[in-house]
Amino acid sequence: MSPDLLPPVAPDVTAGLVEALSPRLRKRLDAGIAKLVTRPVTREGDTVRIAVDDDTDLELHAPGGSVTSADAIRCGCLLAPDCLHRAAAASAAPIAEDAEDAQDADTDTGTGTGTGTPDETAAAPSGSAPADGSGTAADGSAPDGTPHDGIAPTGPPSAGTSTVGAPGDSPDDAFGSAPAATDGDTSVTAHGRTRTRTPLDAPDGPSRRQGDAVTAPPRVPETVPPAQLDAARAVFDAAAAVLEAGTDGSGAVVQAALLRAAHTARLAGLPRIAASAVSVVNGTRAARTADPAHRLAALAEALRTVLGMAHRLPFATGADLAELRGTVRMPYTPDGSLRLYGLFSEPVLTTTGYAGAVTWTADAEGRLYTVSDVAPGGPGRATGAADRTVRIGDTALTHRELSRAGLAVSGATVSPTGRLGAGAGVRAVRASGAEWTAEPLDRLWTVPVAEQVARALSGGHDLLFLDVTLGGAVRGSTGDDLLAECDGLAVGLATAHDDPALPYRDNLRLLSAVGGARLRVVARLVPGPLPRALLLAAGHPSSPGTRLDLGLDRLQQADLPAAPAPAATEAPQADEAPLHLLRRRVHQAVSGGRRVLAFPDSGAGDGGRLRNVGLVTAADLLDELRSAAADRSRDAFGRLLPADPGRFARAWLASAVYTDEVERALCAAAWGAPH
């Protein structure tokens, strides 16, 4: 049985069923899941039935498409309802998410065609729309860009920024109580210090007058309610437990604790943090089931995101606090009439069980808009959605057709990430499209490459519009890339998705045989020390004016011009500082947990190598990470006490944030972009 055959189960349902198990059954839960997924499954309408054995069935009722209550999972065994089977089925099933939230994130974070990332299901806070109307990440951050959810720079706090403790601060400091206020004098307690102030609008307080006008009192920054502080701490502790155990040790019980914390965060008004926590569970499950789409770097990013947001929340104010909270639904604002030109379509296939297509369009000013069709499904839906009618207005255009045609929209509504709404008042009709080499689309390729990269790294969309000369295949540490020359740079063009149902890899292999061809392409930036991007769309190598959506259209050998295939070469090596010494330990902790860094020879000598090349901060962070991993005290009888997962999580978070920021700087330098 594939877990995809089961209906999605709400996080609180899974958490509740696991928590209700006795300690003895909890120890057997992972084995029970492994056994249950081998049993046959049948579906009858909204009911999915699993044959636990020849005489016992387990039923999951999902009248709305997902299981939303524990009573909807029923087992016929003698121990029901306190049996292991119900919790095992809930833990094996996909996690129920709001389809539109997932769609917002998957199409806007730049990971829709990838494996999914930490903020996949988080909606952007209202008021975070970019000035150019183009898409940023659905969680309010850049597509793997700024602002990052980690430890903020030290220094005095300012409006819209957050102040966070150093990696070694205690959890109580990071999650202090909210300021307490009383009428009249206000006593504020923060980090153990108490001060008293008199509000300007208090009866006996001072007032400021300029002539006959009374100036408004200064606005007191909004504080975080205690319920949100408690929820953020619960998420931090649960995510720290996942990091402590690593993917190898994070079984269903550890996952359920994080799902419970995510549900608590959503109820407390923290949907962005809740969605990020769910994405960590999805990534952990993908790692434990050896899902081909699993990427260790993506899971590390998911953990960094959720730990960083939970750590920052107690210190956030103003816009930063609103950004961390997020919104349950992405807001849509009226945008009048739009004349759009299709750019390309790409399939969406995520590890969270969503699939579909997103079509990118641009207006006459070069602003980007997307039209999406994402819903629960697998590779079949990802490839088939391109031939479905776009859900906007009365147009009969499919996504594949829209990528080459145009659209005239009236009464348009647009999300902060540039996604077009499909409300009842929106009208849309087919219009003529434009070639990539003609106005207005040509202007996208006239922007200097360094400026495009700088935009992506500073919070804009992460698409790159490049004119390249193709070389041959290049062997790198992550597989074969297509080497291309762009503005004097050697750029590695990589496969956007490895799933064999999508033609990305086959198309890249065929294009690598067309050495010397000059093509116009659309790619997605991959931050790193060498110029690298995921190839999404390209001009046809032998048919000028024809475009290829490389995730949907399949090139044939007969489509290629006759040319000798260039020999594969080794990937160029960057003359870079050995940041990988720290990054490797960050990733090892995610997969193996704290214990893999606690060994005496784990990373021994790496700190000295980092200091020798001037990376003193990286060396200090690595030393603290190893020290936190090995920190085990003993009681009066010499017995080992439990490790402090909070200290280890904060040390890991500091290292992850540092490597991310340095890699962004290296990426900007590699592309010649300002940073």
Side-chain angles (χ1 to χ4, degrees):
M1 175 193 75
S2 170
D4 294 337
L5 299 177
L6 300 178
V9 177
D12 59 307
V13 173
T14 302
L17 290 173
V18 173
E19 291 167 357
L21 293 176
S22 65
R24 180 180 64 86
L25 290 180
R26 288 191 187 187
K27 294 179 180 179
R28 297 170 51 191
L29 180 56
D30 291 321
I33 295 172
K35 182 178 179 180
L36 193 67
V37 297
T38 64
R39 304 302 301 167
V41 177
T42 58
R43 180 183 291 271
E44 297 178 5
D46 295 327
T47 301
V48 174
R49 186 171 290 106
I50 305 173
V52 176
D53 54 41
D54 294 339
D55 302 318
T56 306
D57 287 339
L58 176 69
E59 294 182 347
L60 293 87
H61 299 271
S66 61
V67 177
T68 58
S69 69
D71 294 338
I73 303 179
R74 305 166 190 166
C75 184
C77 73
L78 295 177
L79 297 178
D82 300 323
C83 62
L84 182 70
H85 304 134
R86 299 171 69 223
S91 299
I95 301 173
E97 303 174 39
D98 184 272
E100 181 148 342
D101 287 346
Q103 186 175 191
D104 287 338
D106 289 333
T107 60
D108 295 323
T109 60
T111 61
T113 57
T115 62
T117 68
D119 300 322
E120 278 180 346
T121 58
S126 58
S128 63
D132 61 354
S134 61
T136 59
D139 59 8
S141 65
D144 290 340
T146 55
H148 287 279
D149 304 315
I151 297 180
T154 58
S158 59
T161 63
S162 62
T163 305
V164 266
D169 286 351
S170 68
D172 292 334
D173 286 338
F175 295 94
S177 59
T182 58
D183 293 337
D185 289 350
T186 303
S187 178
V188 181
T189 303
H191 298 283
R193 298 185 299 272
T194 303
R195 60 187 174 87
T196 303
R197 65 169 180 258
T198 303
L200 294 179
D201 56 352
D204 299 327
S207 62
R208 298 179 182 176
R209 294 181 179 271
Q210 296 177 351
D212 294 330
V214 180
T215 59
R219 186 175 180 181
V220 178
E222 182 183 4
T223 57
V224 184
Q228 292 187 348
L229 288 173
D230 292 342
R233 179 165 191 147
V235 170
F236 186 93
D237 290 344
V242 172
L243 183 64
E244 165 85 7
T247 57
D248 296 340
S250 295
V253 174
V254 177
Q255 296 171 27
L258 186 52
L259 289 178
R260 169 62 69 194
H263 179 65
T264 302
R266 180 169 287 272
L267 293 180
L270 302 173
R272 185 183 174 201
I273 292 179
S276 297
V278 170
S279 69
V280 170
V281 177
N282 281 320
T284 302
R285 289 183 176 182
R288 291 176 60 83
T289 58
D291 190 320
H294 165 66
R295 295 294 180 272
L296 181 59
L299 180 55
E301 172 68 11
L303 270 168
R304 185 196 66 80
T305 299
V306 70
L307 286 170
M309 288 194 297
H311 184 77
R312 283 171 51 194
L313 186 82
F315 311 97
T317 59
D320 189 42
L321 179 57
E323 177 190 337
L324 290 174
R325 285 170 172 161
T327 57
V328 176
R329 284 288 186 176
M330 179 103 41
Y332 285 79
T333 57
D335 204 16
S337 298
L338 298 173
R339 176 64 170 90
L340 304 176
Y341 301 84
L343 273 169
F344 72 99
S345 288
E346 60 174 323
V348 174
L349 183 59
T350 76
T351 56
T352 57
Y354 286 87
V358 56
T359 298
W360 291 81
T361 65
D363 66 5
E365 302 300 323
R367 293 175 295 190
L368 300 185
Y369 298 83
T370 59
V371 181
S372 308
D373 183 356
V374 179
R381 194 180 194 286
T383 55
D387 296 314
R388 296 167 62 95
T389 303
V390 297
R391 297 181 297 178
I392 179 171
D394 301 322
T395 178
L397 282 170
T398 65
H399 283 270
R400 194 186 300 271
E401 292 170 338
L402 176 58
S403 68
R404 294 161 175 81
L407 204 63
V409 185
S410 62
T413 57
V414 183
S415 77
T417 60
R419 191 159 72 90
L420 293 173
V426 180
R427 298 289 182 266
V429 296
R430 179 173 185 156
S432 59
E435 298 294 335
W436 282 357
T437 55
E439 288 294 337
L441 298 184
D442 179 65
R443 68 179 56 194
L444 296 171
W445 277 264
T446 61
V447 178
V449 175
E451 185 177 327
Q452 295 186 48
V453 172
R455 174 194 60 210
L457 293 176
S458 61
H461 66 78
D462 58 354
L463 296 184
L464 301 180
F465 301 92
L466 310 175
D467 287 308
V468 302
T469 301
L470 299 184
V474 56
R475 298 187 184 95
S477 58
T478 57
D480 287 351
D481 289 355
L482 172 58
L483 190 64
E485 185 274 331
C486 176
D487 285 356
L489 293 173
V491 178
L493 299 176
T495 302
H497 201 294
D498 290 328
D499 194 290
L502 304 178
Y504 281 119
R505 184 165 296 282
D506 292 339
N507 287 337
L508 194 74
R509 177 179 54 81
L510 289 174
L511 287 175
S512 66
V514 192
R518 182 75 174 172
L519 294 182
R520 182 159 276 191
V521 303
V522 182
R524 177 167 286 124
L525 177 67
V526 177
L530 288 172
R532 194 165 181 263
L534 305 179
L535 190 58
L536 301 174
H540 198 289
S542 60
S543 180
T546 302
R547 336 171 175 169
L548 296 169
D549 296 333
L550 297 176
L552 300 171
D553 303 324
R554 284 193 178 272
L555 270 172
Q556 303 296 327
Q557 187 68 45
D559 296 331
L560 305 180
T569 60
E570 295 296 328
Q573 299 298 315
D575 184 16
E576 58 168 315
L579 187 65
H580 65 277
L581 297 176
L582 179 59
R583 185 195 312 113
R584 179 173 58 191
R585 303 305 172 190
V586 169
H587 288 176
Q588 280 182 342
V590 174
S591 60
R594 179 193 57 78
R595 64 185 180 276
V596 302
L597 300 184
F599 299 122
D601 59 345
S602 177
D606 289 348
R609 293 179 59 187
L610 290 169
R611 288 187 176 88
N612 289 338
V613 296
L615 293 178
V616 179
T617 301
D620 291 343
L621 289 170
L622 180 57
D623 290 346
E624 168 61 17
L625 182 60
R626 295 182 64 243
S627 175
D631 183 14
R632 295 291 300 275
S633 302
R634 295 181 180 271
D635 62 14
F637 299 99
R639 295 172 299 191
L640 279 174
L641 296 174
D644 180 4
R647 180 193 172 191
F648 179 68
R650 290 189 297 277
W652 181 91
L653 176 60
S655 299
V657 171
Y658 174 85
T659 55
D660 186 71
E661 291 298 327
V662 173
E663 285 177 345
R664 283 166 38 80
L666 292 174
C667 179
W671 289 88
H675 59 88

